[in-house]
Amino acid sequence: MKHVRTSTLLSVLLLCFVVACRKSATQSVDPPAKAVPATQAVEAAPPVVDDARLVNAEQDTGNWLTTGRTYSEQRFSPLDLINTNTVKQLSLAWFLDLDTTRGQEATPLVVDGVMYSTSAWSKVQAIDPVTGKLLWQYDPKVPKEVGSKVCCDVVNRGVAFWKGRVYVGTLEGRLVALDAKSGNVVWSVVTVDQTKSYAITGAPRVIKGKVIIGNAGGEFDARGYVSAYDAETGKMIWRFYTVPGDPQQPPEENNPKLADAAKTWTGEWWKLGGGGTVWNSMSYDPALDLLYFGTGNGLPWSGTVRNPKGNDNLFLASIIAVRPDTGEYVWHYQTTPGDIWDYDATQDLILTDLTIEGEKRQVLLQANKNGFFYVIDRTNGKLISAKPFSTVTWATGVDLATGRPIENPAARKTADPKAPWVGMPGALGGHNWKSMSFSPQTGLAYIPANDLPFVYSDYQSFKALSIGMNLGYDGVPGSFPQGDAKVRQQILGSVNGYLRAWDPVAQKEAWSVQQPGPWDGGILSTAGGLVFEGNAMGLIGAFDAKTGTQLWSNPAQTGVIAAPISYMAKGEQYIAVVAGWGGVYPLVAGDATRKGSINVNRSRVLAFKLGGTAKLPDEPKAADVKPLPRVGTDAEVAQGFRLFTDACWRCHGDAAVGGGITPDLRWSPIARDAAAWKSVVIDGALKERGMISFAPVLNAKQAELIRAYVTMRSNQSYAEMQAEKM
Ligand code: CA
């Protein structure tokens, strides 16, 4: 079931009954929609953020003007009132609870005395950065069934600001310009084919009056592209496709290279779109006038299905530089040629200058999903160095002469279900979208790194689905096999999260701190000699940027995945973060999320300052759970497992273990009753909450087989929990 439905189900569940999957873990639910305060005008005149101000954002020390703070996207704050000496006095200044409980991935902006953030379902907030008062909220009213079209939760990573307007991409593919004073819509354009599973989760960037926006959908039926729209009018100026289209059609004018790229594809990739979506990272060098963005994985993931000849499939999993005025191609570097492991190259693209072997180099840094840390000459795309920053088993290195990975041949052997490829990094990456930071003060990059294996096992007799992801692999149940407890424990034992400081010149670790995750938060570094990161256990920590020594922490009472920011207001420095557990990991990872994560989901913005006096409310107690009455024979349970894998796991978790975002089906009151179950799964009773009808892909009998599997898992888990208590 999709997360959409999931959230639906969740909400409903909450209302009737609080579900807890274990002692410390209450299940999250969308609360009933709270009344949003009437729109109130922001008092001050709209601030002017123009070209010159964005180019000079580095000097604009008290503000946070664009998602990575500056065009170089370093996420480094030059503020130092909060520093290694004073940080022990850091405490909560205010918090603001938000009206969604899905994943929160936004980096807020602070522009001349107003904070602008986003939350799940693409809502936008203007907040007083001193008091936390909500000034206005814009709800784009994304249809909840769109949640079924996104792989990785109904998230949004933030807004762009330009000349008194706030720009947001909405989940179902609109780009919307809002008046910064009122939150009223100035213009809104649809940027995708809404009959397909495109989604926007990334933050727009504005360059020279153009709003640059990409999209997601590379796990479904998307052909990747990035577009530029006139910030004044919403008129599209250019579009750059990242993979070739139907060879019967003429290639797109902005990218004549697509004709060459088409030579690196075989089969009929264009029918599903090919993937290569531009769903997260961008940066800009004003002096070189180059816009950089990263592209996603191939679609379907499996090479057996998409790319049996093992070609490069340009421009998948690549870093691309274009002219921001025209979208004209300048260079590309493909990090994972012929990707079959979901190694999107969409992690941060941080720009800085480094002295390497005595020579000053203009570089671009990326801690790629594939586990390699790349240092690239950003003037021409030439690889300078690449070394593994997390556990890497798919390749032994990167050949600096060719720029190509030196692959482990076993990593492409995915066809034998009895001997699949169990690889590191897995599909969730050595580093995912969680923001990396670079401190020019220490010369170190700070990476939220993961060790997360994945079992790459071809889905025998794969056929593209109209609802659901089209990976060509057997999904997460393959990753965490239920049948073999030893293998499962071995895989779970290798799952880890780290805050890792990386020296990009020496290409080696400076220090590393084990975090409770994987799936900890994005990172901020500051001139106060500090690094800030929230984690999966719901703690926000401050670390010494030189040594990694933890100097401070404070609870958020929910898992934190987004990155903190810092700003000045009324003469005081603040650290702020949007907290809220979510994203793909808790949706799909099942049992793995029982390790090292708080598994509680609420959404709130928290701001800290020296001597803050705000207090968080007391934590509610988790309710006990009861197992579901078993239904179905063992044979029916086995059939139900197969169907669950096809339709349900990507929102309700591997082995039906909920990760705290969508309802944990093992304890769901709806799963107690065949008629209630059918009304939700087949009839779409919870459609408005995002749990769409699966009638297009399941019949009522199949739905009941899934219920049989879920009731089996409920009893299995309950027995395990009782055994743990003894
Ligand atoms: Ca992907």
Side-chain angles (χ1 to χ4, degrees), residues 16-191:
C16 7
F17 160 99
V18 176
V19 193
C21 57
R22 51 183 172 278
K23 276 183 290 185
S24 64
T26 39
Q27 174 120 14
S28 81
V29 176
D30 273 358
K34 268 188 240 159
V36 171
T39 296
Q40 300 169 33
V42 174
E43 296 291 317
V48 177
V49 172
D50 57 10
D51 212 28
R53 225 176 137 191
L54 280 179
V55 168
N56 295 306
E58 186 55 46
Q59 282 75 50
D60 208 332
T61 53
N63 285 307
W64 193 283
L65 295 180
T66 183
T67 193
R69 201 182 86 83
T70 64
Y71 277 141
S72 63
E73 302 261 340
Q74 292 180 353
R75 292 176 176 270
F76 170 80
S77 169
L79 300 175
D80 62 2
L81 293 176
I82 299 167
N83 56 47
T84 49
N85 293 320
T86 61
V87 70
K88 58 182 88 64
Q89 296 148 37
L90 190 64
S91 53
L92 190 64
W94 55 262
F95 68 97
L96 172 66
D97 283 344
L98 302 171
D99 64 349
T100 73
T101 50
R102 296 297 295 263
Q104 305 301 345
E105 299 188 353
T107 302
L109 308 187
V110 173
V111 184
D112 300 343
V114 181
M115 175 184 287
Y116 301 93
S117 190
T118 65
S119 56
W121 299 111
S122 326
K123 295 179 185 182
V124 182
Q125 297 85 26
I127 301 165
D128 183 322
V130 175
T131 64
K133 184 181 164 199
L134 184 66
L135 302 173
W136 54 255
Q137 173 162 273
Y138 164 70
D139 180 357
K141 303 210 180 323
V142 172
K144 296 293 187 286
E145 62 266 28
V146 172
S148 66
K149 296 181 169 190
V150 294
C151 65
C152 306
D153 205 355
V154 295
V155 294
N156 187 281
R157 284 185 289 281
V159 295
F161 194 101
W162 174 259
K163 293 190 175 171
R165 290 181 186 169
V166 176
Y167 299 87
V168 65
T170 69
L171 196 66
E172 86 288 33
R174 281 177 287 155
L175 179 65
V176 181
L178 301 172
D179 181 277
K181 273 182 82 170
S182 64
N184 294 334
V185 174
V186 180
W187 55 255
S188 171
V189 294
V190 175
T191 70

Side-chain angles (χ1 to χ4, degrees), residues 219 297 342 344 369:
E219 274 70 33
N297 56 275
D342 189 28
D344 308 72
K369 226 172 151 189

Side-chain angles (χ1 to χ4, degrees), residues 538-540 554-560 577 579 602 604 606 616 619:
L539 291 173
I540 300 158
N554 201 91
Q557 299 181 334
T558 183
V560 181
V577 67
R602 55 169 69 87
R604 62 168 52 128
L606 301 107
L616 291 176
E619 292 262 37

Side-chain angles (χ1 to χ4, degrees), residues 419-717:
W421 166 245
V422 184
M424 283 260 229
L428 298 187
H431 170 220
N432 206 299
W433 61 267
K434 278 79 133 349
S435 314
M436 174 172 94
S437 175
F438 175 79
S439 165
Q441 191 181 62
T442 60
L444 301 175
Y446 301 94
I447 312 165
N450 302 312
D451 283 338
L452 262 172
F454 192 84
V455 178
Y456 295 89
S457 180
D458 284 352
Y459 189 148
Q460 313 292 323
S461 70
F462 167 79
K463 272 193 302 212
L465 296 168
S466 62
I467 300 182
M469 298 198 286
N470 290 310
L471 308 182
Y473 287 133
D474 231 353
V476 172
S479 289
F480 305 102
Q482 299 310 305
D484 187 333
K486 237 165 82 183
V487 174
R488 189 167 149 200
Q489 282 315 315
Q490 200 181 351
I491 289 176
L492 290 174
S494 63
V495 167
N496 282 303
Y498 306 91
L499 163 55
R500 187 156 282 158
W502 192 260
D503 179 339
V505 175
Q507 280 280 22
K508 62 174 199 201
E509 179 185 302
W511 53 260
S512 188
V513 173
Q514 178 131 21
Q515 283 283 46
W519 218 246
D520 302 297
I523 294 175
L524 163 74
S525 61
T526 75
L530 294 169
V531 172
F532 290 87
E533 185 189 32
N535 70 30
M537 280 303 288
L539 291 173
I540 300 158
F543 303 81
D544 186 313
K546 283 190 189 140
T547 64
T549 305
Q550 183 160 350
L551 301 174
W552 171 87
S553 87
N554 201 91
Q557 299 181 334
T558 183
V560 181
I561 54 176
I565 64 163
S566 190
Y567 61 90
M568 289 291 287
K570 299 212 163 144
E572 293 183 286
Q573 183 187 353
Y574 289 77
I575 305 290
V577 67
V578 184
W581 183 235
V584 64
Y585 176 70
L587 283 176
V588 304
D591 260 350
T593 61
R594 297 188 65 194
K595 172 185 165 184
S597 62
I598 188 171
N599 225 357
V600 169
N601 196 8
R602 55 169 69 87
S603 299
R604 62 168 52 128
V605 187
L606 301 107
F608 302 91
K609 66 175 185 178
L610 298 177
T613 56
K615 290 263 179 299
L616 291 176
D618 291 339
E619 292 262 37
K621 281 219 174 91
D624 285 335
V625 296
K626 278 193 301 189
L628 302 172
R630 273 284 313 255
V631 296
T633 64
D634 287 352
E636 285 168 336
V637 165
Q639 290 177 64
F641 166 68
R642 175 76 263 174
L643 294 162
F644 179 89
T645 303
D646 283 350
C648 315
W649 72 260
R650 78 184 180 81
C651 295
H652 289 283
D654 177 43
V657 178
I661 306 185
T662 55
D664 192 315
L665 298 181
R666 298 171 301 163
W667 322 119
S668 161
I670 289 165
R672 292 189 163 267
D673 180 77
W677 181 262
K678 177 184 166 284
S679 75
V680 172
V681 177
I682 300 299
D683 304 334
L686 299 182
K687 175 162 73 88
E688 297 307 315
R689 309 293 315 215
M691 168 66 194
I692 60 168
S693 161
F694 275 66
V697 293
L698 296 173
N699 60 36
K701 194 170 159 244
Q702 290 172 316
E704 187 61 10
L705 292 171
I706 294 173
R707 195 170 79 90
Y709 170 68
V710 167
T711 65
M712 181 279 287
R713 285 290 302 134
S714 176
N715 285 272
Q716 208 174 42
S717 299

Side-chain angles (χ1 to χ4, degrees), residues 263-458:
K263 294 173 194 153
T264 68
W265 290 77
T266 54
E268 297 184 318
W269 76 89
W270 66 91
K271 290 193 168 167
L272 259 188
T277 51
V278 182
W279 57 266
N280 186 43
S281 58
M282 296 182 203
S283 53
Y284 173 57
D285 184 325
L288 294 170
D289 195 31
L290 290 176
L291 161 67
Y292 307 98
F293 54 85
T295 69
N297 56 275
L299 168 69
W301 291 358
S302 165
T304 314
V305 177
R306 187 193 80 242
N307 186 24
K309 294 191 178 161
N311 297 319
D312 284 358
N313 291 174
L314 291 167
F315 297 97
L316 298 180
S318 298
I319 298 163
I320 299 177
V322 304
R323 296 286 172 212
D325 287 331
T326 58
E328 179 199 348
Y329 167 95
V330 178
W331 60 253
H332 80 276
Y333 173 73
Q334 189 174 39
T335 47
T336 311
D339 164 53
I340 64 164
W341 306 280
D342 189 28
Y343 290 160
D344 308 72
T346 50
Q347 301 68 51
D348 314 73
L349 300 165
I350 291 182
L351 313 184
T352 188
D353 294 344
L354 297 177
T355 302
I356 298 173
E357 293 175 353
E359 193 186 341
K360 191 155 186 190
R361 304 291 296 265
Q362 296 175 276
V363 302
L364 175 155
L365 310 177
Q366 186 183 55
N368 193 281
K369 226 172 151 189
N370 71 14
F372 285 96
F373 191 100
Y374 293 90
V375 180
I376 291 168
D377 183 330
R378 71 174 181 272
T379 67
N380 58 19
K382 197 172 167 352
L383 180 67
I384 295 171
S385 63
K387 290 282 182 195
F389 65 89
S390 68
T391 306
V392 171
T393 62
W394 71 280
T396 55
V398 179
D399 182 334
L400 293 185
T402 62
R404 297 180 70 89
I406 305 157
E407 285 185 17
N408 173 356
R412 288 193 183 270
K413 300 203 165 102
T414 60
D416 179 356
K418 293 209 181 77
W421 166 245
V422 184
M424 283 260 229
L428 298 187
H431 170 220
N432 206 299
W433 61 267
K434 278 79 133 349
S435 314
M436 174 172 94
S437 175
F438 175 79
S439 165
Q441 191 181 62
T442 60
L444 301 175
Y446 301 94
I447 312 165
N450 302 312
D451 283 338
L452 262 172
F454 192 84
V455 178
Y456 295 89
S457 180
D458 284 352

